[in-house]
Amino acid sequence: MENNLNNIGKRMPYYVPEGFFEHMHDQLLSTAKQSEDKRKFNFRYKWIAAAVIVLIASISFMVSQWTGKNKQEQAIAMINETEYPETMLPDEELDSWVEFTEEDIFINNFSNY
Amino acid sequence: MELFGKKRKKKNGTVSLNAETIIKVFEKPIYWHIRRMVVSHEDAQDVLQETFIRIFLSLDTIKNNEALKVWIFKIATNECIRHLKKKREQSLSDISESELLAERLETSEYINLEDAAGIRLQRAILTLSQQERIVFNLRYYNEMNYEDIQRITGYSINVLKVAYHHAKEKIKQELLN
């Protein structure tokens, strides 16, 4: 195998059209330039996208804070505005409560403490 | 990495590579590596373009110039594999990759059919499996050491040594036949 390979060496039956590598060189340089422009665009685009996301997040946060505060104030206002009806006990029931408290040993005895 | 900036000499003496330098240094070795894998000049041209697109798009990921050669050959090898897989899928028959490439050797343009010895050797190399062919080409034609081939292929050094030995034996048999 070594003798055979020594005879053949590293030559190959392949060849290229005339001027191929020169033409390819220019083509690859153009490709490199396009890739560079694409990378720069992507870099800028990512920063812009990040800034927009931060802005939207900030606005959303501020809106949620404002609506939350508003809701709280509304709830308080509702409570203040609500009129609770005053219930009046009939006289007989009032009298029975008075009698009960007078006879209640716990109230009478512990009130002295 | 700025692709079109001026070449700057770093403090440790290495030169910062730009696109023009990379193309100048690697265009031919990469083309021939690809050509040995895909046989056809038209296919090699397409794969070469794809390879350099990938190189330029991800050049920032390379940390030092010493690893550049291995990294570029790795990209080129992967592009060859991708291309051959696509060709096999596009082929309407159940032809194997070796048979497909052997057919290309007979019919493609820019092949010197009068170079009988060269044709015999390439035909013998094309009987190898894809992995064996990659290892053989990188070792025999590019004279790469096993450590670099390991970084390119991902196989262990022992596996590479066995693959190269096996490839040589197969080629020997083919040449004797």
Side-chain angles (χ1 to χ4, degrees), chain B residues 32-90:
Chain B
W32 289 117
H33 171 61
I34 293 169
R35 184 75 190 267
R36 282 188 282 272
M37 287 299 298
V38 303
V39 177
S40 150
H41 166 68
E42 284 76 22
D43 289 349
Q45 196 174 354
D46 292 340
V47 176
L48 185 70
Q49 279 272 25
E50 287 297 322
T51 299
F52 274 92
I53 287 171
R54 285 191 188 270
I55 288 167
F56 295 139
L57 281 176
S58 37
L59 204 52
D60 285 339
T61 60
I62 192 81
K63 295 214 183 333
N64 62 69
N65 291 344
E66 288 170 3
L68 189 64
K69 178 186 169 187
V70 167
W71 181 71
I72 287 176
F73 267 88
K74 185 173 182 174
I75 293 175
T77 305
N78 287 340
E79 284 303 309
C80 288
I81 293 169
R82 204 192 314 270
H83 173 85
L84 289 169
K85 186 181 173 195
K86 199 168 87 173
K87 287 289 172 185
R88 277 200 314 275
E89 285 166 359
Q90 284 171 354

Side-chain angles (χ1 to χ4, degrees), chain A residues 13-79:
Chain A
Y14 307 128
Y15 65 96
V16 295
E18 200 173 320
F20 166 72
F21 285 117
E22 290 76 18
H23 168 73
M24 201 67 199
H25 183 96
D26 296 337
Q27 210 168 330
L28 291 175
L29 269 179
S30 164
T31 302
K33 183 77 176 70
Q34 285 170 20
S35 302
E36 175 82 358
D37 292 342
K38 193 176 173 183
R39 274 181 35 245
K40 281 180 180 166
F41 174 76
N42 285 347
F43 184 74
R44 267 187 232 132
Y45 178 71
K46 277 177 191 165
W47 274 109
I48 291 168
V52 167
I53 289 167
V54 165
L55 191 64
I56 291 171
S58 305
I59 291 170
S60 302
F61 178 73
M62 279 162 51
V63 166
S64 69
Q65 287 289 298
W66 180 76
T67 52
K69 200 174 170 186
N70 256 9
K71 278 185 183 166
Q72 203 176 8
E73 283 171 359
Q74 279 173 17
I76 292 167
M78 267 180 65
I79 291 166

Side-chain angles (χ1 to χ4, degrees), chain B:
Chain B
M1 183 185 289
E2 185 65 37
L3 288 182
F4 287 92
K6 291 178 185 172
K7 281 186 277 189
R8 297 184 306 277
K9 201 156 189 177
K10 291 184 181 173
K11 282 180 188 169
N12 60 4
T14 58
V15 176
S16 171
L17 292 174
N18 61 11
E20 192 155 1
T21 309
I22 289 170
I23 294 167
K24 195 173 161 185
V25 171
F26 290 103
E27 185 190 3
K28 284 183 186 171
I30 292 297
Y31 171 82
W32 289 117
H33 171 61
I34 293 169
R35 184 75 190 267
R36 282 188 282 272
M37 287 299 298
V38 303
V39 177
S40 150
H41 166 68
E42 284 76 22
D43 289 349
Q45 196 174 354
D46 292 340
V47 176
L48 185 70
Q49 279 272 25
E50 287 297 322
T51 299
F52 274 92
I53 287 171
R54 285 191 188 270
I55 288 167
F56 295 139
L57 281 176
S58 37
L59 204 52
D60 285 339
T61 60
I62 192 81
K63 295 214 183 333
N64 62 69
N65 291 344
E66 288 170 3
L68 189 64
K69 178 186 169 187
V70 167
W71 181 71
I72 287 176
F73 267 88
K74 185 173 182 174
I75 293 175
T77 305
N78 287 340
E79 284 303 309
C80 288
I81 293 169
R82 204 192 314 270
H83 173 85
L84 289 169
K85 186 181 173 195
K86 199 168 87 173
K87 287 289 172 185
R88 277 200 314 275
E89 285 166 359
Q90 284 171 354
S91 165
L92 296 171
S93 60
D94 287 331
I95 195 168
S96 71
E97 184 174 293
S98 294
E99 286 166 340
L100 188 72
L101 293 173
E103 199 181 311
R104 291 265 168 86
L105 192 58
E106 307 293 332
T107 57
S108 289
E109 281 187 280
Y110 307 109
I111 294 179
N112 181 9
L113 295 173
E114 290 175 13
D115 182 4
I119 294 277
R120 276 179 59 221
L121 176 58
Q122 291 308 309
R123 202 179 280 135
I125 293 170
L126 292 176
T127 63
L128 303 173
S129 70
Q130 190 185 81
Q131 290 81 4
E132 286 169 344
R133 209 160 64 241
I134 291 170
V135 174
F136 181 81
N137 285 342
L138 288 172
R139 182 87 178 137
Y140 183 69
Y141 286 104
N142 296 103
E143 295 180 0
M144 274 196 190
N145 59 44
Y146 283 115
E147 285 76 22
D148 285 348
I149 300 175
Q150 183 191 28
R151 288 189 200 105
I152 292 168
T153 60
Y155 300 130
S156 71
I157 289 178
N158 286 339
V159 166
L160 293 173
K161 286 179 178 175
V162 168
Y164 185 63
H165 173 76
H166 192 237
K168 280 199 301 184
E169 290 301 311
K170 268 175 99 171
I171 291 170
K172 177 183 173 182
Q173 287 303 315
E174 286 294 321
L175 290 175
L176 288 175
N177 292 341

